[in-house]
Amino acid sequence: MEFTHRTYEKGQTIAAVATPPGEGGIAVIRISGDEALDVADKIFSGSIHSYKTHTVHFGNILDENGAFIDEGLVIVMRTPRSYTGEDTVEIHCHGGTLITQKVLKAALRSGARAALPGEFTCKAFQNGKIDLTKAEAVQQVIASKNSLAMQAAENQLQGKLYKTIASFQQKLTDIAAILEAWVDFPEEGLEFASHEEMLTMLTAIIERMQHLLATFHEGKRLQTGLSICLLGAPNVGKSSLMNAIVGKDRAIVTDIPGTTRDILEEEIEMAGLNFRLLDTAGIREAEEIVEREGVRRSIAAAKEADLILLVVDISNPSIDSDLMAILPKGQTLLVWNKTDLKAADELPKLPFEAVRVSAKNYEGLEELKEAVHQIVWKSGPPSKEEVVLTNERHFQSLDRAIQATQKVSLGLQEELSPEFLTSDIRLALKELGTIIGVNITEDILSAIFSKFCVGK
């Protein structure tokens, strides 16, 4: 279904359930806007307007006709000391789908409207409580599936990305001021900075922006995760290895070659990242049509995978030459499996990093995970203090800002008139502004916040 755009209006009173659906100890219904106190006053037994900000009160929650729904608590947070920057009331009732929907319905029938996805956070942005990078970080924190992704999101939530972008803006603004002075006072003989000094300043800011841009490759990994494909001949123990890694009997294991016909998939966390672990059909010349299709899918999955675990039976180390031809050296880890059996007298020399495991006896799994870590993080994972780009929108805007700044540098080298250079530097400043939410369009806001959950 297409997202139907609706303008986010400041001050309009909205309500939504802010806790996950289902049964639980408590549920929270959030109301925010100019009439939040009036709405809450209609459905709570106490006098909402008399309560001081940031105080908690016990009472009865009522429907729009005054009928009892539940006992609960209300928390009043008056403007501007609230998450949204507006008057906000949170109603805490017993958890449960029926109760929460009754309380929400009472709020909606008393003057609030149902909140759009991310509308509370959008209000916080519109009212200057947070910049756009922090707003986007809220959803990233909620959606984080591993510790490194959460670390990157928390850095952004703490304002580290905003400060970095703001520092770029400040440097470019200083350069723009000098260029404007050259335009406005060409005959005055004022020397604000030489061409050489300007080029040095531009080179430094371009290098800093490019360094941040280069973190996107790792940052995207943190958010989206990677895929690992278990590949090899039939009966080398791929399914047993998958079961050992995930810690449960996910794949069927038998002594019959070709047991796995289709791709099995399981989500795991390893090396600080989320992975899609894929168990595939054994690679061999197959006559039966279903197995042939399984082999085709296995090869296709290997070509799309971020990392391949080439599983080989150490007691019978035969490897298909056609299979070797499709294996990328930097993305393949050789796994000698079945170390519980006697190894062959001579093992083939292969151009891959290798580990030895016994999937049957759960031996060598830690060494396998460490080897995966070394391949994924060749230069080590991001540090806790490092600012990492994880958002495609930020990447695109920063890339355009770099290109515009490079044009300014090239124009200076070619001694172009300052009038031509100021337009490019304004474009760079505009692109940086879109990252933190300056001069952002309503359509972009809609696209960003529509991905949020309702109630946040």
Side-chain angles (χ1 to χ4, degrees), residues 75-86:
I75 303 174
V76 174
M77 291 165 278
R78 296 177 182 269
T79 181
R81 294 176 55 201
S82 70
Y83 177 69
T84 62
E86 301 173 334

Side-chain angles (χ1 to χ4, degrees), residues 382-452:
S383 69
K384 290 185 177 181
E385 300 303 317
E386 185 178 1
V387 179
V388 178
L389 282 187
T390 59
N391 188 305
E392 179 75 30
R393 187 182 72 83
H394 300 167
F395 174 82
Q396 295 295 341
S397 292
L398 182 58
D399 188 40
R400 288 191 290 267
I402 291 171
Q403 292 178 42
T405 308
Q406 287 173 329
K407 286 184 179 180
V408 178
S409 179
L410 183 60
L412 273 177
Q413 295 173 50
E414 296 176 349
E415 298 186 351
L416 293 182
S417 175
E419 290 94 334
F420 297 105
L421 305 180
T422 54
S423 62
D424 286 321
I425 208 160
R426 287 194 196 103
L427 177 59
L429 286 167
K430 178 183 177 183
E431 292 295 344
L432 292 175
T434 62
I435 296 175
I436 59 178
V438 178
N439 298 322
I440 199 80
T441 67
E442 186 64 35
D443 286 337
I444 293 177
L445 281 182
S446 177
I448 291 169
F449 290 109
S450 65
K451 299 173 184 175
F452 279 48

Side-chain angles (χ1 to χ4, degrees), residues 283-316:
I283 306 297
R284 67 174 176 177
E285 288 292 333
E287 297 181 0
E288 200 265 324
I289 187 171
V290 176
E291 187 178 357
R292 265 206 319 270
E293 175 60 17
V295 171
R296 187 196 67 78
R297 293 188 182 190
S298 298
I299 294 173
K303 290 179 179 178
E304 295 293 326
D306 297 293
L307 180 63
I308 296 171
L309 300 187
L310 176 60
V311 185
V312 182
D313 182 347
I314 199 169
S315 67
N316 183 24

Side-chain angles (χ1 to χ4, degrees), residues 250-261:
R250 177 65 178 85
I252 297 173
V253 177
T254 74
D255 294 330
I256 303 170
T259 299
T260 302
R261 299 294 188 92

Side-chain angles (χ1 to χ4, degrees), residues 15-198:
V17 180
T19 43
E23 295 183 0
I26 62 168
V28 177
I29 292 83
R30 178 179 287 165
I31 309 168
S32 181
D34 293 346
E35 299 177 3
L37 300 181
D38 294 333
V39 170
D41 197 53
K42 294 175 182 177
I43 61 174
F44 190 69
S45 60
S47 178
I48 296 290
H49 286 282
S50 68
Y51 296 154
K52 294 181 179 179
T53 187
H54 291 78
T55 56
V56 183
H57 303 269
F58 175 78
N60 294 333
I61 305 166
L62 314 170
D63 68 16
E64 67 279 9
N65 298 315
F68 177 84
I69 297 176
D70 192 16
E71 292 181 334
L73 302 174
V74 296
I75 303 174
V76 174
M77 291 165 278
R78 296 177 182 269
T79 181
R81 294 176 55 201
S82 70
Y83 177 69
T84 62
E86 301 173 334
D87 284 339
T88 301
V89 178
E90 288 187 354
I91 301 176
H92 294 220
C93 63
H94 290 100
T97 302
L98 183 59
I99 292 176
T100 54
Q101 287 305 311
K102 279 191 172 184
V103 177
L104 176 60
K105 185 181 292 184
L108 297 179
R109 289 180 175 176
S110 298
R113 72 159 172 81
L116 298 171
E119 193 166 6
F120 291 100
T121 303
C122 184
K123 283 175 173 284
F125 166 69
Q126 289 177 320
N127 292 320
K129 302 294 290 186
I130 54 177
D131 69 89
L132 197 53
T133 62
K134 286 187 178 181
E136 290 169 296
V138 170
Q139 183 63 14
Q140 290 179 7
V141 167
I142 294 171
S144 295
K145 295 181 179 180
N146 58 72
S147 56
L148 290 176
M150 179 170 285
Q151 175 184 298
E154 287 176 342
N155 278 347
Q156 190 170 316
L157 189 61
Q158 291 170 14
K160 292 181 180 179
L161 178 59
Y162 173 84
K163 291 176 183 176
T164 301
I165 298 300
S167 72
F168 296 160
Q169 287 183 310
Q170 183 60 57
K171 294 292 184 184
L172 289 177
T173 300
D174 293 342
I175 294 171
I178 296 172
L179 291 174
E180 294 284 0
W182 287 357
V183 173
D184 294 338
F185 307 103
E187 307 298 333
E188 298 296 327
L190 299 175
E191 189 66 26
F192 297 96
S194 67
H195 274 73
E196 289 73 21
E197 289 171 332
M198 290 282 281

